[in-house]
Coordinates of all heavy atoms in Angstrom, one line a residue:
R1 N -84.2 -48.2 78.9 CA -83.1 -47.3 78.5 C -82.6 -47.7 77.1 O -82.2 -48.8 76.9 CB -82.0 -47.3 79.5 CG -82.4 -46.6 80.8 CD -81.2 -46.7 81.8 NE -79.9 -46.4 81.2 CZ -78.8 -46.4 81.8 NH1 -78.8 -46.7 83.0 NH2 -77.7 -46.1 81.2
P2 N -82.6 -46.8 76.2 CA -82.1 -47.1 74.8 C -80.6 -47.5 74.8 O -80.2 -48.4 74.1 CB -82.3 -45.9 74.0 CG -83.2 -45.0 74.8 CD -83.1 -45.4 76.2
A3 N -79.8 -46.9 75.6 CA -78.4 -47.2 75.6 C -78.1 -48.6 76.1 O -77.3 -49.3 75.5 CB -77.6 -46.2 76.5
A4 N -78.8 -49.0 77.1 CA -78.6 -50.4 77.6 C -79.1 -51.4 76.6 O -78.5 -52.4 76.4 CB -79.4 -50.6 78.9
A5 N -80.2 -51.1 75.9 CA -80.7 -52.0 74.8 C -79.7 -52.1 73.7 O -79.5 -53.2 73.1 CB -82.1 -51.5 74.4
N6 N -79.2 -50.9 73.3 CA -78.2 -50.9 72.2 C -76.9 -51.7 72.6 O -76.4 -52.4 71.8 CB -77.8 -49.5 71.9 CG -78.9 -48.7 71.2 OD1 -79.8 -49.4 70.6 ND2 -78.8 -47.4 71.1
A7 N -76.5 -51.6 73.8 CA -75.3 -52.3 74.3 C -75.5 -53.8 74.3 O -74.7 -54.6 73.8 CB -74.9 -51.8 75.7
A8 N -76.7 -54.2 74.7 CA -77.1 -55.6 74.7 C -77.1 -56.2 73.3 O -76.7 -57.3 73.0 CB -78.4 -55.8 75.5
R9 N -77.7 -55.4 72.4 CA -77.8 -55.8 71.0 C -76.4 -55.9 70.4 O -76.1 -56.9 69.7 CB -78.7 -54.8 70.3 CG -79.2 -55.3 68.9 CD -80.3 -54.5 68.3 NE -80.1 -53.0 68.5 CZ -80.9 -52.3 69.3 NH1 -81.8 -52.8 70.0 NH2 -80.7 -51.0 69.3
E10 N -75.6 -55.0 70.7 CA -74.2 -55.0 70.2 C -73.4 -56.2 70.7 O -72.7 -56.9 70.0 CB -73.5 -53.7 70.5 CG -72.0 -53.7 70.0 CD -71.8 -53.8 68.5 OE1 -72.8 -53.7 67.7 OE2 -70.7 -53.9 68.0
R11 N -73.6 -56.5 72.0 CA -72.9 -57.7 72.6 C -73.4 -59.0 71.9 O -72.6 -59.9 71.6 CB -73.2 -57.8 74.1 CG -72.2 -56.9 75.0 CD -72.3 -57.3 76.4 NE -73.7 -57.1 77.0 CZ -74.2 -56.0 77.4 NH1 -73.5 -54.9 77.3 NH2 -75.5 -55.9 77.8
S12 N -74.7 -59.1 71.7 CA -75.2 -60.2 71.0 C -74.7 -60.3 69.6 O -74.4 -61.4 69.1 CB -76.8 -60.1 71.0 OG -77.3 -61.2 70.3
R13 N -74.6 -59.2 68.9 CA -74.1 -59.2 67.5 C -72.6 -59.7 67.5 O -72.3 -60.6 66.7 CB -74.2 -57.8 66.9 CG -73.8 -57.8 65.4 CD -73.7 -56.3 65.0 NE -72.5 -55.7 65.5 CZ -71.3 -55.8 65.1 NH1 -71.0 -56.6 64.1 NH2 -70.3 -55.2 65.7
V14 N -71.8 -59.2 68.4 CA -70.4 -59.5 68.4 C -70.2 -61.0 68.8 O -69.4 -61.7 68.2 CB -69.7 -58.6 69.4 CG1 -68.3 -59.1 69.7 CG2 -69.6 -57.2 68.9
Q15 N -71.1 -61.5 69.7 CA -71.0 -62.9 70.1 C -71.4 -63.8 69.0 O -70.7 -64.8 68.7 CB -71.9 -63.2 71.3 CG -71.8 -64.6 71.9 CD -72.7 -64.7 73.1 OE1 -73.6 -64.0 73.3 NE2 -72.4 -65.8 73.9
T16 N -72.4 -63.4 68.2 CA -72.8 -64.2 67.1 C -71.7 -64.2 66.0 O -71.4 -65.3 65.4 CB -74.1 -63.6 66.5 OG1 -75.1 -63.7 67.5 CG2 -74.6 -64.4 65.3
L17 N -71.1 -63.1 65.8 CA -70.1 -63.0 64.8 C -68.9 -63.8 65.2 O -68.3 -64.6 64.4 CB -69.7 -61.6 64.6 CG -68.7 -61.3 63.5 CD1 -69.2 -61.7 62.1 CD2 -68.3 -59.8 63.5
R18 N -68.5 -63.8 66.5 CA -67.4 -64.6 67.0 C -67.6 -66.1 66.8 O -66.8 -66.8 66.4 CB -67.1 -64.2 68.5 CG -65.9 -64.9 69.1 CD -65.7 -64.4 70.5 NE -64.5 -65.0 71.0 CZ -64.4 -66.3 71.6 NH1 -65.5 -67.0 71.6 NH2 -63.3 -66.7 72.0
H19 N -68.9 -66.5 67.2 CA -69.2 -67.9 67.0 C -69.1 -68.3 65.6 O -68.7 -69.4 65.3 CB -70.6 -68.1 67.6 CG -71.1 -69.5 67.4 ND1 -70.6 -70.5 68.2 CD2 -72.0 -70.1 66.6 CE1 -71.2 -71.7 67.8 NE2 -72.1 -71.4 66.9
A20 N -69.6 -67.5 64.6 CA -69.5 -67.8 63.2 C -68.1 -68.0 62.7 O -67.8 -68.9 62.0 CB -70.2 -66.7 62.4
F21 N -67.2 -67.1 63.2 CA -65.8 -67.3 62.8 C -65.2 -68.5 63.4 O -64.4 -69.2 62.7 CB -65.0 -66.0 63.2 CG -64.9 -64.9 62.2 CD1 -65.8 -63.9 62.3 CD2 -64.1 -65.0 61.1 CE1 -65.8 -62.9 61.3 CE2 -64.0 -64.0 60.2 CZ -64.9 -62.9 60.3
L22 N -65.5 -68.9 64.6 CA -65.0 -70.1 65.2 C -65.5 -71.3 64.5 O -64.8 -72.3 64.2 CB -65.4 -70.2 66.7 CG -64.7 -69.2 67.6 CD1 -65.3 -69.3 69.0 CD2 -63.2 -69.5 67.7
E23 N -66.8 -71.3 64.1 CA -67.3 -72.4 63.3 C -66.6 -72.5 61.9 O -66.3 -73.6 61.4 CB -68.8 -72.3 63.1 CG -69.6 -72.5 64.3 CD -69.5 -73.9 64.9 OE1 -69.6 -74.9 64.1 OE2 -69.2 -74.1 66.1
L24 N -66.4 -71.4 61.3 CA -65.7 -71.4 60.0 C -64.3 -71.9 60.2 O -63.8 -72.7 59.4 CB -65.6 -70.0 59.4 CG -64.9 -69.8 58.1 CD1 -65.5 -70.6 57.0 CD2 -64.9 -68.3 57.7
Q25 N -63.6 -71.5 61.2 CA -62.2 -72.0 61.5 C -62.2 -73.5 61.7 O -61.3 -74.2 61.2 CB -61.6 -71.3 62.7 CG -60.2 -71.7 63.0 CD -59.6 -70.9 64.1 OE1 -59.9 -69.8 64.3 NE2 -58.7 -71.5 64.8
K26 N -63.3 -74.1 62.3 CA -63.3 -75.5 62.5 C -63.4 -76.3 61.2 O -63.0 -77.5 61.2 CB -64.5 -75.9 63.4 CG -64.4 -75.5 64.8 CD -65.7 -75.9 65.5 CE -65.8 -75.4 66.9 NZ -67.0 -75.7 67.6
T27 N -63.9 -75.7 60.2 CA -64.1 -76.4 58.9 C -62.8 -76.4 58.1 O -62.7 -77.1 57.1 CB -65.2 -75.7 58.0 OG1 -64.8 -74.4 57.7 CG2 -66.5 -75.7 58.8
L28 N -61.8 -75.6 58.5 CA -60.6 -75.5 57.7 C -59.7 -76.7 58.0 O -59.3 -76.9 59.2 CB -59.8 -74.2 58.0 CG -60.6 -72.9 57.7 CD1 -59.9 -71.7 58.2 CD2 -60.8 -72.8 56.2
P29 N -59.3 -77.5 57.0 CA -58.6 -78.7 57.3 C -57.2 -78.6 57.8 O -56.6 -79.4 58.4 CB -58.6 -79.4 55.9 CG -58.7 -78.4 55.0 CD -59.5 -77.3 55.6
S30 N -56.5 -77.4 57.6 CA -55.1 -77.2 57.9 C -54.9 -76.6 59.3 O -53.8 -76.3 59.6 CB -54.4 -76.4 56.8 OG -55.0 -75.1 56.8
V31 N -56.0 -76.3 60.0 CA -55.9 -75.6 61.3 C -56.2 -76.5 62.4 O -57.3 -77.0 62.6 CB -56.8 -74.4 61.3 CG1 -56.7 -73.6 62.6 CG2 -56.6 -73.4 60.1
P32 N -55.2 -76.7 63.3 CA -55.5 -77.5 64.5 C -56.6 -76.8 65.4 O -56.7 -75.6 65.4 CB -54.2 -77.5 65.3 CG -53.1 -77.1 64.3 CD -53.8 -76.3 63.3
P33 N -57.4 -77.6 66.1 CA -58.5 -77.1 66.9 C -58.1 -76.0 67.9 O -58.9 -75.2 68.2 CB -59.1 -78.3 67.5 CG -58.4 -79.5 67.1 CD -57.2 -79.0 66.2
D34 N -57.0 -76.1 68.5 CA -56.6 -75.2 69.6 C -55.9 -73.9 69.1 O -55.3 -73.2 69.9 CB -55.8 -75.9 70.7 CG -54.5 -76.5 70.1 OD1 -54.4 -76.6 68.8 OD2 -53.6 -76.8 70.9
T35 N -55.9 -73.7 67.8 CA -55.2 -72.6 67.2 C -56.0 -71.3 67.3 O -57.2 -71.3 67.1 CB -54.9 -72.9 65.7 OG1 -54.2 -74.1 65.6 CG2 -54.1 -71.8 65.1
K36 N -55.3 -70.2 67.7 CA -55.9 -68.9 67.7 C -55.5 -68.2 66.4 O -54.3 -68.0 66.1 CB -55.5 -68.1 68.9 CG -56.0 -68.7 70.2 CD -55.6 -67.7 71.4 CE -56.8 -66.9 71.6 NZ -56.7 -65.9 72.7
L37 N -56.5 -67.8 65.6 CA -56.3 -67.0 64.4 C -57.1 -65.7 64.5 O -58.2 -65.7 65.1 CB -56.7 -67.8 63.2 CG -55.9 -69.1 62.9 CD1 -56.6 -69.8 61.7 CD2 -54.5 -68.8 62.6
S38 N -56.6 -64.7 63.8 CA -57.4 -63.5 63.7 C -58.5 -63.7 62.7 O -58.5 -64.7 61.9 CB -56.5 -62.3 63.2 OG -56.2 -62.5 61.9
K39 N -59.5 -62.9 62.7 CA -60.6 -63.0 61.8 C -60.1 -62.9 60.3 O -60.6 -63.6 59.5 CB -61.7 -61.9 62.1 CG -62.4 -62.1 63.3 CD -63.4 -61.0 63.6 CE -64.2 -61.2 64.8 NZ -63.6 -60.5 66.0
L40 N -59.1 -62.0 60.1 CA -58.5 -61.8 58.8 C -57.9 -63.1 58.4 O -58.0 -63.6 57.2 CB -57.5 -60.7 58.8 CG -56.8 -60.5 57.5 CD1 -57.8 -60.2 56.3 CD2 -55.8 -59.4 57.6
D41 N -57.1 -63.8 59.3 CA -56.5 -65.1 58.9 C -57.5 -66.1 58.6 O -57.3 -66.9 57.6 CB -55.6 -65.5 60.1 CG -54.4 -64.7 60.3 OD1 -54.0 -64.0 59.4 OD2 -53.8 -64.8 61.4
V42 N -58.6 -66.2 59.3 CA -59.6 -67.2 59.1 C -60.2 -66.9 57.7 O -60.4 -67.8 56.9 CB -60.7 -67.1 60.1 CG1 -61.9 -68.0 59.8 CG2 -60.2 -67.6 61.5
L43 N -60.5 -65.7 57.4 CA -61.1 -65.3 56.0 C -60.1 -65.7 54.9 O -60.5 -66.2 53.9 CB -61.5 -63.9 56.0 CG -62.7 -63.5 56.8 CD1 -62.9 -62.0 56.8 CD2 -63.9 -64.2 56.4
L44 N -58.8 -65.4 55.1 CA -57.8 -65.7 54.1 C -57.7 -67.2 53.9 O -57.7 -67.6 52.7 CB -56.5 -65.1 54.5 CG -56.3 -63.6 54.4 CD1 -55.0 -63.1 55.0 CD2 -56.5 -63.1 53.0
L45 N -57.6 -67.9 54.9 CA -57.5 -69.4 54.8 C -58.8 -70.0 54.2 O -58.7 -70.9 53.3 CB -57.3 -70.0 56.2 CG -55.9 -69.8 56.7 CD1 -55.9 -70.3 58.2 CD2 -54.9 -70.6 55.9
A46 N -60.0 -69.4 54.6 CA -61.2 -70.0 54.0 C -61.3 -69.7 52.5 O -61.7 -70.6 51.7 CB -62.4 -69.3 54.7
T47 N -61.0 -68.5 52.1 CA -61.0 -68.1 50.7 C -60.0 -68.9 49.9 O -60.3 -69.4 48.8 CB -60.9 -66.6 50.4 OG1 -59.6 -66.2 51.0 CG2 -62.0 -65.8 51.0
T48 N -58.9 -69.2 50.4 CA -57.9 -70.0 49.7 C -58.3 -71.4 49.6 O -58.2 -72.1 48.6 CB -56.5 -69.9 50.5 OG1 -56.1 -68.6 50.6 CG2 -55.4 -70.7 49.8
Y49 N -58.9 -71.9 50.7 CA -59.4 -73.3 50.7 C -60.6 -73.5 49.6 O -60.6 -74.4 48.9 CB -59.9 -73.7 52.1 CG -60.3 -75.2 52.2 CD1 -59.5 -76.2 51.7 CD2 -61.6 -75.5 52.7 CE1 -60.0 -77.5 51.8 CE2 -62.0 -76.8 52.8 CZ -61.2 -77.8 52.3 OH -61.6 -79.1 52.4
I50 N -61.5 -72.5 49.6 CA -62.6 -72.5 48.6 C -62.0 -72.5 47.2 O -62.5 -73.2 46.3 CB -63.5 -71.3 48.9 CG1 -64.3 -71.6 50.2 CG2 -64.5 -71.2 47.7 CD1 -65.0 -70.3 50.7
A51 N -61.0 -71.6 47.0 CA -60.3 -71.6 45.7 C -59.7 -72.9 45.3 O -59.8 -73.4 44.2 CB -59.3 -70.5 45.6
H52 N -59.1 -73.6 46.3 CA -58.5 -74.9 46.1 C -59.6 -75.9 45.7 O -59.4 -76.7 44.7 CB -57.8 -75.4 47.3 CG -57.5 -76.8 47.3 ND1 -56.6 -77.5 46.5 CD2 -58.1 -77.8 48.0 CE1 -56.7 -78.8 46.7 NE2 -57.6 -79.0 47.6
L53 N -60.7 -75.9 46.4 CA -61.8 -76.8 46.1 C -62.4 -76.6 44.7 O -62.7 -77.5 44.0 CB -62.9 -76.7 47.2 CG -62.5 -77.2 48.6 CD1 -63.6 -76.9 49.5 CD2 -62.1 -78.7 48.6
T54 N -62.5 -75.3 44.4 CA -63.0 -75.0 43.0 C -62.0 -75.5 41.9 O -62.5 -76.1 41.0 CB -63.1 -73.4 42.9 OG1 -64.0 -73.0 43.9 CG2 -63.7 -73.0 41.5
R55 N -60.7 -75.3 42.1 CA -59.8 -75.8 41.2 C -59.8 -77.3 41.1 O -59.7 -77.9 40.0 CB -58.3 -75.3 41.5 CG -58.0 -73.9 41.1 CD -56.6 -73.5 41.3 NE -56.0 -73.9 42.6 CZ -56.0 -73.0 43.6 NH1 -56.5 -71.8 43.5 NH2 -55.5 -73.4 44.7
S56 N -59.9 -77.9 42.2 CA -60.0 -79.4 42.2 C -61.2 -79.9 41.4 O -61.1 -80.9 40.7 CB -60.1 -79.9 43.7 OG -58.9 -79.6 44.4
L57 N -62.3 -79.2 41.6 CA -63.5 -79.6 40.9 C -63.3 -79.4 39.4 O -63.7 -80.2 38.5 CB -64.7 -78.9 41.4 CG -65.3 -79.3 42.7 CD1 -66.4 -78.4 43.2 CD2 -65.8 -80.8 42.7
Q58 N -62.7 -78.3 39.0 CA -62.5 -78.0 37.6 C -61.5 -79.0 37.0 O -61.7 -79.5 35.9 CB -61.9 -76.6 37.4 CG -63.0 -75.5 37.7 CD -62.4 -74.1 37.8 OE1 -61.2 -73.9 38.0 NE2 -63.3 -73.1 37.8
D59 N -60.4 -79.3 37.8 CA -59.5 -80.3 37.3 C -60.1 -81.7 37.1 O -59.8 -82.4 36.2 CB -58.3 -80.5 38.3 CG -57.4 -79.2 38.3 OD1 -57.6 -78.4 37.4 OD2 -56.6 -79.1 39.2
E60 N -61.0 -82.0 38.0 CA -61.7 -83.3 38.0 C -62.6 -83.4 36.7 O -62.7 -84.4 36.1 CB -62.6 -83.5 39.2 CG -63.3 -84.8 39.3 CD -62.4 -86.1 39.4 OE1 -61.2 -85.9 39.8 OE2 -62.8 -87.1 39.0
E61 N -63.2 -82.2 36.4 CA -64.1 -82.2 35.2 C -63.3 -82.3 33.9 O -63.7 -83.0 33.0 CB -64.9 -80.9 35.2 CG -66.0 -80.8 36.2 CD -66.7 -79.4 36.2 OE1 -66.3 -78.5 35.4 OE2 -67.6 -79.2 37.0
E62 N -62.1 -81.8 34.0 CA -61.2 -81.8 32.8 C -60.6 -83.2 32.6 O -60.4 -83.7 31.5 CB -60.1 -80.8 32.9 CG -60.6 -79.4 32.8 CD -59.6 -78.3 33.1 OE1 -58.4 -78.7 33.3 OE2 -59.9 -77.1 33.1
S63 N -60.2 -83.9 33.7 CA -59.6 -85.2 33.6 C -60.1 -86.1 34.7 O -59.5 -86.2 35.7 CB -58.0 -85.0 33.7 OG -57.7 -84.3 34.8
P64 N -61.3 -86.6 34.5 CA -61.9 -87.5 35.5 C -61.0 -88.7 35.9 O -60.3 -89.2 35.0 CB -63.2 -87.9 34.9 CG -63.2 -87.4 33.5 CD -62.1 -86.5 33.3
G65 N -61.1 -89.1 37.1 CA -60.4 -90.3 37.5 C -59.0 -90.2 38.1 O -58.4 -91.1 38.5
E66 N -58.5 -88.9 38.1 CA -57.2 -88.7 38.6 C -57.2 -88.2 40.1 O -56.1 -87.9 40.6 CB -56.5 -87.6 37.8 CG -56.2 -88.1 36.3 CD -55.4 -87.1 35.5 OE1 -54.8 -86.2 36.2 OE2 -55.4 -87.2 34.3
G67 N -58.3 -88.2 40.7 CA -58.3 -87.8 42.1 C -58.2 -86.3 42.3 O -58.2 -85.5 41.3
L68 N -58.2 -85.8 43.5 CA -58.2 -84.4 43.8 C -56.8 -83.8 43.7 O -56.7 -82.6 43.7 CB -58.8 -84.1 45.2 CG -60.3 -84.4 45.3 CD1 -60.8 -84.1 46.7 CD2 -61.1 -83.6 44.3
G69 N -55.8 -84.5 43.7 CA -54.4 -84.0 43.6 C -54.0 -83.4 44.9 O -54.5 -83.6 46.0
T70 N -53.0 -82.5 44.8 CA -52.4 -81.9 46.0 C -52.9 -80.5 46.2 O -53.4 -79.9 45.2 CB -50.9 -81.8 45.9 OG1 -50.5 -81.1 44.7 CG2 -50.3 -83.2 45.8
L71 N -52.8 -79.9 47.4 CA -53.2 -78.6 47.6 C -52.3 -77.6 46.9 O -51.0 -77.8 46.9 CB -53.2 -78.3 49.1 CG -54.2 -79.0 50.0 CD1 -53.9 -78.7 51.4 CD2 -55.6 -78.6 49.6
R72 N -52.9 -76.6 46.3 CA -52.1 -75.6 45.6 C -52.6 -74.2 46.1 O -53.7 -74.1 46.5 CB -52.2 -75.7 44.1 CG -51.7 -77.0 43.5 CD -51.9 -77.0 42.0 NE -53.2 -76.8 41.6 CZ -54.0 -77.8 41.2 NH1 -53.6 -79.0 41.2 NH2 -55.3 -77.5 40.9
G73 N -51.8 -73.2 45.8 CA -52.2 -71.9 46.1 C -51.4 -71.2 47.2 O -51.2 -71.8 48.3
D74 N -51.0 -70.0 47.0 CA -50.3 -69.2 48.0 C -51.2 -68.9 49.2 O -52.4 -68.6 49.0 CB -49.8 -67.9 47.4 CG -48.8 -68.2 46.3 OD1 -48.1 -69.2 46.4 OD2 -48.6 -67.3 45.5
G75 N -50.7 -69.0 50.4 CA -51.4 -68.6 51.6 C -52.1 -69.8 52.2 O -52.7 -69.6 53.2
Y76 N -52.1 -70.9 51.6 CA -52.9 -72.0 52.2 C -52.3 -72.5 53.5 O -52.9 -72.6 54.5 CB -53.0 -73.2 51.2 CG -53.9 -74.3 51.8 CD1 -55.3 -74.1 51.8 CD2 -53.4 -75.4 52.4 CE1 -56.1 -75.1 52.4 CE2 -54.2 -76.4 53.0 CZ -55.5 -76.2 53.0 OH -56.3 -77.2 53.5
L77 N -51.0 -72.7 53.5 CA -50.3 -73.0 54.7 C -49.9 -71.7 55.4 O -49.1 -71.0 54.9 CB -49.0 -73.9 54.4 CG -49.4 -75.3 53.8 CD1 -48.1 -76.0 53.4 CD2 -50.2 -76.1 54.7
H78 N -50.5 -71.5 56.5 CA -50.4 -70.2 57.2 C -49.6 -70.4 58.5 O -49.8 -71.4 59.1 CB -51.8 -69.6 57.4 CG -51.7 -68.2 57.8 ND1 -51.6 -67.8 59.1 CD2 -51.9 -67.1 57.1 CE1 -51.6 -66.5 59.2 NE2 -51.8 -66.0 58.0
P79 N -48.8 -69.4 58.9 CA -48.2 -69.6 60.2 C -49.3 -69.8 61.3 O -50.3 -69.1 61.3 CB -47.5 -68.2 60.4 CG -47.4 -67.6 59.1 CD -48.5 -68.2 58.2
V80 N -49.0 -70.8 62.1 CA -50.0 -71.1 63.2 C -49.7 -70.4 64.5 O -48.6 -70.4 64.9 CB -50.1 -72.6 63.4 CG1 -51.0 -73.0 64.5 CG2 -50.5 -73.3 62.1
K81 N -50.7 -69.7 65.0 CA -50.5 -69.1 66.3 C -51.3 -69.9 67.3 O -52.5 -70.1 67.2 CB -51.1 -67.7 66.3 CG -50.5 -66.8 65.2 CD -51.2 -65.5 65.1 CE -50.9 -64.9 63.7 NZ -52.0 -64.2 63.2
V82 N -50.6 -70.4 68.3 CA -51.3 -71.2 69.3 C -51.5 -70.4 70.6 O -50.6 -69.7 71.0 CB -50.5 -72.5 69.6 CG1 -51.2 -73.4 70.7 CG2 -50.4 -73.3 68.3

C-alpha cells in the first residue's frame, strides 16, 4: 500500500530530523543536557554560537596570544526550559 509506505517514510524522516536536532543541541556549550528546547531555539543558539566562534577566530587573527575572550552576541544566553 502506498499510503502505509509514505507514512513509514515520513516517520523515519521525522525521527532522523529529531535525532539531528538533539545531536546539535548536545554540542551547544550553554545548554544543560536535560533541557527541552524547540527546534527554533536550537537553531538560534547554534547560529549565535557559530557567530561567536567566527568572531573569536577573527579576533585571534587580529591580535594573537590574547585568548578567545568572553562570549558576545545577543541571544546566546537563552531562557532555559526544563
